Amino acid sequence: EVLVSRVPSGAHVTPDSLKKMDGALAEAAGRMPEGARFAAVGYACTSATAQIGAERVAAQICAGLGAEVPVSDPVSACLAACRALDVSRIALVSPYVESVSARLIEVFAEGGLEVTRFGSFNVSEEARVVRISHRSVVDAACALGQGDGCEAVFLSCTNLRTLDAIDEIEAALGKPVLSSNTTLAWHLARLGGGASEMRIPGALGRLT
């Protein structure tokens, strides 16, 4: 069983608007049914995690739940997935403006993951992210992921439509392709003890 709560976010994505979600995390977690037990909890916002910090995100969620539970987020999940795949250099595709993407690149570097190639759609309005076309995502990832400069591609943002693009990109590049949503799902399954039953699209079938 999966339960979902929502965290309010601003209409425009900036470092400040992302940081403001910090104050709503505990409240959102607190809306979960009283007494519910969770194998793991995920916060599904990549760029906000980079701005707030994964440890702070986890602390706020546990405070809202009133219990210590394993917590993941797309940044922690991507780092864990890259370690599992023995990947240390990635191409990063982001929908957001430079001021938002820059912090994510820094956080990945702090976690031992080097972004050797970067491309962005430079979107500042959140509602526009989901409208970025399939072809645009595929073309951007394939352009960035070519050659020996990176070992994998990461498609950042849980609002970016990537699920139906991953296999096509992998077929073109012959490299693992990860996304915020697929790595978060995989990491939650791993934290919750269900990794042996979890198979995510992409990662050339190696991320299990």
Side-chain angles (χ1 to χ4, degrees):
E1 182 179 7
V2 177
L3 300 179
V4 178
S5 180
R6 302 297 295 268
V7 180
S9 63
H12 290 272
V13 181
T14 68
D16 286 341
S17 70
L18 292 168
K19 288 174 185 175
K20 285 180 180 178
M21 282 195 271
D22 180 9
L25 288 172
E27 182 182 353
R31 296 192 197 105
M32 294 297 182
E34 186 175 351
R37 289 184 163 184
F38 297 97
V41 177
Y43 173 51
C45 188
T46 316
S47 294
T49 299
Q51 294 292 332
I52 298 167
E55 290 185 5
R56 172 71 178 178
V57 166
Q60 290 289 75
I61 288 173
C62 290
L65 292 174
E68 292 295 321
V69 297
V71 175
S72 184
D73 58 78
V75 175
S76 301
C78 177
L79 290 170
C82 286
R83 286 192 294 269
L85 294 169
D86 196 25
V87 164
S88 61
R89 295 175 292 116
I90 62 167
L92 172 64
V93 178
S94 168
Y96 294 129
V97 294
E98 183 180 355
S99 60
V100 170
S101 302
R103 179 56 188 154
L104 178 59
I105 293 171
E106 290 174 359
V107 171
F108 279 151
E110 291 165 5
L113 184 61
E114 182 183 4
V115 176
T116 57
R117 293 180 178 172
F118 169 72
S120 173
F121 294 103
N122 288 313
V123 172
S124 62
E125 185 181 354
E126 184 63 72
R128 288 183 56 203
V129 173
V130 74
R131 299 181 188 140
I132 297 171
S133 71
H134 168 90
R135 180 46 47 196
S136 295
V137 171
V138 170
D139 288 349
C142 288
L144 289 171
Q146 293 179 16
D148 298 330
C150 63
E151 300 161 307
V153 176
F154 181 64
L155 308 174
S156 181
C157 184
T158 56
N159 200 24
L160 189 66
R161 294 189 299 171
T162 61
L163 194 60
D164 61 350
I166 290 174
D167 288 341
E168 184 175 349
I169 300 166
E170 284 199 346
L173 296 177
K175 298 178 181 181
V177 176
L178 305 166
S179 76
S180 292
N181 287 317
T182 56
T183 54
L184 181 59
W186 167 80
H187 200 221
L188 285 172
R190 201 175 193 196
L191 292 175
S196 62
E197 302 172 4
M198 184 72 184
R199 297 292 184 274
I200 69 164
L204 296 179
R206 291 160 52 195
L207 197 59
T208 60

